[in-house]
Amino acid sequence: MSQKYFKHSYYSPMLENIGLNIYNTGYQRCIGGHSWGPGIRDYYLMHLVTSGKGIFTVNDTSFEISEGDAFIIKPNTLVSYVADENDPWEYYWVGFNGADASRLVELTSFEQDNPILKFSEQETALIKKSLLNIYSNFGTTAEQEIMTVSRLFEVFSLIIKFSPKKREDSSLAR
């Protein structure tokens, strides 16, 4: 099999931004069996799978993940994930934290007992493009930080738009 494997990523040295911080971002085409965990992160981490498949495990519950699926890892949650041996996944990710992070996740349809959302091919392409824009604009200047955070809001806007509504009032105001 002549498939190329790669990983591109950035990590931010900045720990806090104006309510929201991009902790890390990147994309990867994994080799079969590539895994992470079990482990716990202290920030949110969202993956969008654009090809292939794998298994995502939260505490003791495993989910089969494939093209068009997004999964969220919440802080202080035991997780692991592994790429399929024969059809390993390619995914795009963004890690984030800050005072507004939990509220943004609450606005989505990600649930504690089902941290997976399924998107169509067109929806996946749009979310992927926004995640790549986070990666492409990543840096440590104020301009770059603000741009990447704005792209993260764009990702959440698309996820909320393309997902079943969690509740009628999905405004940020409480």
Side-chain angles (χ1 to χ4, degrees), residues 36 56 116 169:
W36 187 90
F56 172 55
I116 315 300
D169 176 23

Side-chain angles (χ1 to χ4, degrees), residues 144-164:
Q144 291 167 317
E145 284 189 55
I146 292 167
M147 180 58 73
T148 57
V149 168
S150 75
R151 299 299 186 184
L152 181 58
F153 276 108
E154 181 179 75
V155 168
F156 272 94
S157 174
L158 292 170
I159 287 172
I160 292 166
K161 177 180 179 179
F162 298 144
S163 300

